[in-house]
């Protein structure tokens, strides 16, 4: 314990005062001299504790409406002076600069101000200058100074100085220095991302990190960076796993396509829909979604676009599923669903999703705009002699939305707004189609009158030929192949309607 360093002075300049009182009381108990300014100084005085105004130290008042308070050599010299460096100590004496052993800062809430929808001027004023400078200086000189850089660290710091009677070790100070640079880098990233319009730079930072039980497999470590509480309220069940989170991500992006529509239910497994239906009631939508593939549904993720009621919950309860997601639940539905102790029950909140998506690749990161184009009736081009009916258009667009959120190469077969089957993640479109047809037959679907959606164009007419022979009567695809006419010709010869969207929906 001989490496402990006892603090004699502290500089405090914080935005949030919550939780600061006990620290100030402890400093007073330990005889630590406190320097402060502005609102923090007033707060300390109100506690009846002596505080030295920074203005008395620097002989300069707070100026420019509070923009300049602590930016002075007599402040930063006391923080940055190397205690083992004789020349530094001589200069401190020469210029009457006191050593500062503790720096406590809580920055202006820049991100909260941006999120509040405040004006640009208000946001700019919440860019902290003095605070961020104090953090960097104190963290740099961690050999002699301990830096508390956020109100989230108050409790940990108070425990430390209480236990050690105002002293800290080099390991303690380095630990807090690392936290400080995490705070400062996150803060600067938030400012950059607010200011940046078109600079091609990758800057992302998350203060919130959650260690998962493991990664994709038990031998892999896994973490989630971000705040899930912004998106979900968890009502019941175990913690979400790495694989759960991937499925939940796929589920919320898929169901978003059906927001505000009739009751819709989706069942996902390994990021792909294995069951999907839209009906007059949510219970019937669930029953028909499950019929699409009751085998794959085991252990899946379930999501609805409407409140889950008692009738729907009763149906769900007979299935082993990992996660259930909905915008709300009736009280009786919750009681039913909570009967399985590990079942994860989530309320999905209505928030904006990020406007860019990222993915690690090789030794870097791929970034792209989200696929925010959803095929619409107005965007369809009928390319065959047979004009698709209004009912077929509804099924085609329904199939297209599912197709957009299914791993490529993919083919989706739909009939009466029910997913009959999907061919997912195949190396050829023909394989995807044949997989879908086989699967539909396995679960006794009659494909006569069904429609087919493809995520990309058909390079040859083989897919429409196979589909036609299976009973498919209408097709939606992007078009754009140099051999499009061959597929059109086959459809014309066999009374199949086909529409082009002009938009490819690859998903890898």
């Amino acid at each position: 314990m001989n490496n402990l360093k006892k603090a004699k002075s502290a500089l405090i300049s914080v935005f949030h005062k919550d939780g600061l009182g006990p620290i100030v009381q402890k400093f007073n108990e330990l005889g630590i001299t406190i320097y402060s300014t502005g609102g923090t100084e007033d707060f300390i005085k109100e506690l009846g504790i002596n505080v030295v105004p920074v203005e008395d130290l620097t002989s300069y008042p707070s100026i420019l409406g509070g923009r300049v308070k602590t930016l002075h050599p007599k402040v930063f010299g006391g923080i940055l002076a190397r205690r083992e460096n004789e020349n530094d100590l001589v200069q401190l004496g020469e210029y009457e600069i006191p050593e500062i052993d503790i720096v406590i800062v809580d920055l202006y809430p820049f991100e909260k101000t941006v999120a509040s929808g405040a004006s640009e001027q208000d946001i700019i004023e919440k860019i902290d200058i003095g605070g961020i400078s104090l953090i960097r200086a104190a963290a740099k000189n961690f050999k002699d100074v301990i830096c508390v850089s956020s109100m989230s660290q108050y409790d940990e710091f108070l425990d430390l100085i209480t236990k050690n009677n105002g002293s800290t070790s080099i390991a303690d100070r380095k630990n807090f220095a690392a936290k400080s640079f995490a705070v400062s880098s996150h803060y600067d990233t938030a400012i950059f991302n607010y200011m940046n319009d078109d600079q091609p730079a990758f800057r992302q930072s998350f203060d919130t990190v959650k260690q998962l039980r493991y990664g994709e497999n038990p031998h892999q470590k896994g973490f989630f960076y971000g705040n899930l509480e912004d998106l979900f309220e968890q009502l019941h069940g175990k913690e979400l796993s790495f694989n759960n989170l991937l499925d939940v991500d796929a589920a919320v992006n898929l169901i978003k396509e059906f927001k505000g529509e009739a009751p819709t239910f989706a069942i996902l497994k390994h990021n792909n829909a294995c069951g999907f239906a839209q009906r007059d009631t949510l219970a019937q939508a669930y029953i028909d979604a499950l019929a699409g593939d009751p085998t794959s549904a085991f252990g899946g993720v379930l999501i609805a676009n409407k409140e889950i009621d008692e009738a729907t919950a009763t149906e769900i309860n007979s299935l082993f599923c990992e996660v259930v997601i909905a915008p709300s639940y009736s009280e009786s539905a919750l009681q039913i669903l909570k009967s399985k102790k590990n079942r994860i029950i989530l309320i999905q909140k209505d928030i904006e999703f990020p406007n860019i998506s990222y993915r690690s690749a090789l030794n870097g990161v791929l970034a792209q705009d989200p696929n925010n184009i959803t095929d619409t009736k107005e965007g369809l081009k009928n390319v065959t002699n047979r004009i698709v009916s209004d009912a077929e258009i509804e099924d085609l667009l329904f199939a297209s939305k599912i197709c957009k959120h299914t791993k490529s190469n993919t083919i989706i077969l739909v009939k009466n707004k029910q997913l009959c089957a999907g061919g997912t993640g195949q190396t050829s479109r023909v394989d995807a189609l044949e997989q879908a047809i086989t699967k539909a037959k396995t679960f006794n679907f009659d494909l006569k009158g069904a429609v087919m959606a493809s995520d990309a164009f058909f390079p040859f007419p083989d897919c429409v030929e196979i589909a036609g022979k299976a009973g498919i009567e209408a097709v939606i695809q992007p078009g754009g192949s140099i051999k499009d006419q061959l597929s059109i010709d086959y459809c014309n010869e066999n009374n199949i309607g086909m529409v082009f969207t002009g938009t490819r929906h690859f998903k890898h």
Side-chain angles (χ1 to χ4, degrees), residues 165-180:
N165 202 32
S167 297
T168 59
S169 68
I170 184 68
D172 295 328
R173 297 191 294 277
K174 190 171 184 179
N175 175 42
F176 274 85
K179 295 177 192 289
S180 297

Side-chain angles (χ1 to χ4, degrees), residues 213-271:
R213 295 195 301 276
Y214 50 81
E216 204 161 8
N217 298 292
H219 62 275
Q220 296 171 270
K221 289 183 179 179
F223 301 88
F224 178 79
Y225 295 93
N227 192 352
L228 284 173
E229 292 179 0
D230 288 344
L231 184 57
F232 300 110
E233 179 184 352
Q234 183 166 347
L235 303 178
H236 184 73
K238 61 185 179 181
E239 290 188 352
L240 287 158
S241 70
F242 186 97
N243 292 329
N244 287 156
L245 288 167
L246 290 175
D247 283 334
V248 167
D249 177 72
V252 297
N253 280 287
L254 173 57
I255 208 69
K256 184 172 63 170
E257 300 282 353
F258 299 86
K259 183 178 179 180
E261 295 191 14
T264 306
F265 212 104
I267 304 171
L268 288 89
K269 194 74 171 288
H270 295 294
N271 308 169

